[in-house]
Amino acid sequence: MSACCSAQAEGVDESSPMVDARLPDGSRINVIVPPLALCGPVLTIRKFGQRRH
């Protein structure tokens, strides 16, 4: 998870337990670690299709 955030020059740790970032392909990631994430670290990736409406 730290590697995903390091590409965006943001760190995720107890002092800043939530990070939103954009990957080079346009996908967006959200990382949450304890103490905000009660049952362990959470990584969410939102990947968008190429077609626009």
Side-chain angles (χ1 to χ4, degrees), residues 14-51:
E14 288 184 3
S15 65
S16 60
M18 185 170 67
V19 171
D20 290 312
R22 186 178 301 265
L23 298 177
D25 69 350
S27 300
R28 295 177 63 181
I29 63 170
N30 176 264
V31 179
I32 303 173
V33 298
L36 285 181
L38 300 178
C39 296
V42 177
L43 171 67
T44 304
I45 301 173
R46 296 188 310 184
K47 184 151 179 80
F48 301 103
Q50 298 296 323
R51 194 177 81 165

